[in-house]
Amino acid sequence: MRVLPGCLHLYFISFLFSGAHGFLTWRIPTAFPVYNYSYSNLSSVSEAQAPKTARALNFSHNAIEKLTKRDLEGFEALEVLDLSYNRIRDVEPGALQSLLSLVSVNLSFNDEKLLLSGLPPHLELSPTGNASGSLQLSKYSGKSPEAALEPSVPTREPPPSRHPPVLENLNPRLRQSAGDLLRKGETNTTVFPVFPTATPRPSLCGTPINGTLDLSHSNLSKDELMLKLDEDACQAQLASVLELDISHNDLKMDLVSLFVLFLPMENVRSIDASSSNLTINILDVEAICKFPFHQLFFVNISHNPINSLDTLCLPPTIKEIDLSFTNISQIPRNFAAKLLNLENMYVQGNHFIYTASPDSGNALPACVPPPGTVHIEAISLVRTQFGTPIESLPNKVKHLGMSNCSIVELPEWFADTMEELLFLDLSHNRISALPNFSPSLQHLDISSGDIRVIPPSLKSLSNLTTFNIQNNKIAEMHAEYFPSALKSCDISKNRLKVLSLTKALGNLEHLNISGNLIARLETTDPLPALSSLDSSHNLIPELPDGLGDSLPALKYLNLLGNKISFLQRGSLPASLVELDIGDNAITTIVEDTFAPLTSLRVLTVQGRHFFCTCDSYWFVNVYMHQPQLQIRGRGDVRCSFPPDRRGSLVESSRLTLLRCSLGLQLGITAGTAALAALLLTALCWHFHGLWYIRMGWYWCMAKRRQYEKRPENKLYDAFISYSEHDAAWTKENLLERLENDRFKVCYHERDFKPGHPVLGNIFYCIENSQKVLFVLSPSFVNSCWCQYELYFAEHRVLNENLDSLIMIVLEDLPPHSVPQKFSKLRKLLRRKTYLKWSPEEHKQKLFWHQLRAVLRTTNEPLVRAENGAAQEMYELE
């Protein structure tokens, strides 16, 4: 057996110097042109545009449905035609008549309804055509088909093998002749013209499509695969293969033999050989494990009975390997040295076995189990390099999938060796304590384990953004132990009772706390970046106030399967887009809680605890009909109260205003109040009530700002009230004349205090003036401020019981020009003597004389002034 590694090494050397040829060196005779169009997805023979000089055409494994005369026109030299494994239903009569050189036609495994009629006289059904699915035509000439197809040129013996004879001991199956394989294939289904004994049939070569050769799910055996990947017959096809898929076959061969078949594929990048019944070679061939692949980066050999990696022989260029579900029980020490460039490694679904090495210097008692036996209690204590099944890993690995591998703990060297690790999946293992990891780790999945405590060392993973630790036994969650860069965290299905959301989780975007025992959420600091909170299957009785304020960016919230009975106002953030509150104990959906959720688009509310009373009126009649909101589970929202509605759909409840008495009363009250208000508004409009209301309001405001006691000594002799239209006459005539006569006049443009309210200034000036002069004109009765001044002056007269009003008619006031709201002015004009300005000069002298006289008189009591005015009423014209 020692000579075998040397022989293998010699073979690989000869391989490298022979231009990457394989084991079989037989050549196709150049005088027999053959064209292979199998596996080309052809729908007709003419679509291939085959040369008319072809002597053999292979159209097997296509989608051809009909054979016509036009398809075979011009092929005068054609001798062999393979149309097996198509969908041919019809052969046009006479399609084969012109093919006088035709020797063999294979129409096996086409449509069951295929019937041949009008066959040419030189063709007849072959004897093997009676087999199930087989339909073959051949030319009968009294000699074997092999002899009929021999070329007319003198035959030559196949050249001797270029490889040493000792290679025959490598694997007897690999040196099986192509002629034997063809004869085996002929006994199955396909009958093809027999070429010289050692020449592989070109019709069996696999043809890549866009660089991909897909031979998966074909139930290929090793021998059939060797034919499809034959180095000599399929050299052109193999050289163009970039991706090879031979998964889900029944190859029953070892990896070394398999990769020898791949040697002609110099440009192959990806090989998928999963679920193909592959094994690892028993002998150690590391000395010759030097494959000439330079671009092979991906190999998938999962779901194969590999069992051990000790003698693994693969190209070192591989960057990604899938060893999942291969029955391996350990990763040996030489694994890292064999695949130095490995970056992605997946070994999930295997069963790693922990062993113990007893001390050889001490004799074992009789009761001690034999070496290699470990009690289950001691598994978690095995941390030596010899006890762990993970003895080595390439230090360039970035993605490592080791889920469901019966891992109890990681070796001590793991954190220091895996310095470039970014993704680690340790889910569905038996880990009871969180191991140490490299700070480079970004994604960690350690779900479905036995972890009880999250240690402070987790904080050291400064680059960790995704942390999945669901389905463990964690009872406490300390937010200060979590990395600040964490964005997604899943702690669902644990034993948490209290959740504290602090600023330590400031960058968290997704938090899943479903399946815990949480009874209270503590929010002490806002989380501005939190965008997803999944808390389904908890036992939270009620969310506290302020959660909505603490989670302003929350978009997805899942409270499915909790015991929440009520969601109070402010418990849900307004930024929510999707909310699930199904299967809780919630009885009503209230407007105060859900109306602020303006961004909500999806709401799930199934449950059987809802109260079908008027408290649900807003939810049933308003909220469920919002066009921008999608309500899921509305068919499962059912009533629990009142008893006569129990089990019925909430949506079908007839919660109308007539049934809800409170709403009906509010409607009637609102309608009555609206009618009353309308009537009152009409009355106020007709009787100028609005003006009186405003006047009263301004009066009260002005009175409140004045002194409680009126001044005894007046500051001014007179206050002039006039409209802006009469300002020029007032300033140039009245004001100037009075001040020349040494009267102290209050003039608003000059004497109003800046910064004080206008009404306050008016009231102040009237209260501090002996007389109030009103310059009457049509513009006066249309001025709002003049109305206020007249109103305040009249109230002063009533309060002091002293007549201090002086009326000056600057322009005539027709009776119809005085508005109704100037009723006081009308009364004053009827009962008081007023002065009238005249443009005539002699009357002006009398006007100024009378005005000076009135200003110099003291204010008389109101009653006597009215009586005197009634007796001595006169008008100056």
Side-chain angles (χ1 to χ4, degrees), residues 1 49 56 64 113 117 162 206 208 395 458 465 473 561 647 803:
M1 297 298 292
Q49 297 182 355
I64 302 173
K113 300 179 180 180
S117 61
R162 294 170 294 173
N395 56 10
L458 183 65
T465 58
K473 301 176 182 178
D803 189 5

Side-chain angles (χ1 to χ4, degrees), residues 615-668:
D615 294 336
S616 300
Y617 175 82
W618 178 81
F619 173 65
V620 174
N621 294 282
V622 179
Y623 202 58
M624 293 186 74
H625 300 284
Q626 289 189 358
Q628 76 278 7
L629 181 64
Q630 177 185 359
I631 298 182
R632 297 175 180 173
R634 64 172 64 202
D636 293 328
V637 183
R638 300 188 178 273
C639 305
S640 64
F641 183 83
D644 60 331
R645 295 282 301 166
R646 184 172 299 168
S648 61
L649 292 177
V650 173
E651 190 175 11
S652 63
S653 301
R654 299 178 180 177
L655 301 178
T656 61
L657 288 176
L658 183 61
R659 183 174 180 181
C660 297
S661 59
L662 179 60
L664 182 59
Q665 292 175 3
L666 291 176
I668 295 175

Side-chain angles (χ1 to χ4, degrees), residues 718-720 722 727 730-731 735 745-752:
F719 170 73
I720 304 175
Y722 61 95
T730 303
K731 185 176 182 181
L735 179 62
V745 181
C746 181
Y747 185 65
H748 83 277
E749 291 184 1
R750 180 186 61 193
D751 298 318
F752 275 14

Side-chain angles (χ1 to χ4, degrees), residues 242-352:
L242 300 178
E243 298 181 3
L244 175 64
D245 187 355
I246 57 172
S247 61
H248 297 85
N249 285 292
D250 189 21
L251 301 180
K252 294 181 181 179
M253 59 191 306
D254 60 86
L255 279 179
V256 173
S257 301
L258 180 66
F259 271 80
V260 167
L261 296 178
F262 302 155
L263 293 178
M265 304 180 190
E266 299 177 355
N267 300 316
V268 67
R269 302 174 184 174
S270 169
I271 296 177
D272 186 352
S274 59
S275 303
S276 296
N277 205 1
L278 301 176
T279 58
I280 291 286
N281 41 286
I282 301 176
L283 299 177
D284 189 0
V285 292
E286 184 176 355
I288 63 169
C289 189
K290 299 184 184 298
F291 293 94
F293 297 107
H294 301 289
Q295 302 184 45
L296 181 58
F297 300 134
F298 172 79
V299 171
N300 182 2
I301 52 176
S302 62
H303 296 84
N304 283 294
I306 292 178
N307 297 328
S308 175
L309 299 178
D310 292 329
T311 57
L312 179 68
C313 180
L314 290 174
T317 58
I318 295 176
K319 293 186 177 181
E320 182 173 354
I321 188 170
D322 193 342
L323 294 165
S324 305
F325 301 97
T326 52
N327 298 331
I328 60 175
S329 59
Q330 69 173 121
I331 301 177
R333 277 175 286 177
N334 61 353
F335 181 80
K338 292 180 179 180
L339 300 174
L340 294 174
N341 297 311
L342 195 63
E343 296 182 358
N344 300 337
M345 178 179 176
Y346 306 98
V347 293
Q348 55 261 30
N350 292 290
H351 180 64
F352 286 2

Side-chain angles (χ1 to χ4, degrees), residues 807-827:
M807 303 294 177
I808 299 175
V809 178
L810 183 61
E811 298 180 18
D812 291 334
L813 293 174
H816 63 275
S817 65
V818 181
Q820 184 68 29
K821 56 188 176 183
F822 266 90
S823 58
K824 290 184 177 293
L825 180 59
R826 293 183 177 185
K827 294 179 181 179

Side-chain angles (χ1 to χ4, degrees), residues 37-57:
Y37 298 101
S38 61
Y39 296 98
S40 300
N41 197 26
L42 299 176
S43 60
S44 65
V45 172
S46 59
E47 185 178 344
Q49 297 182 355
K52 303 298 183 179
T53 59
R55 295 180 60 188
L57 290 176

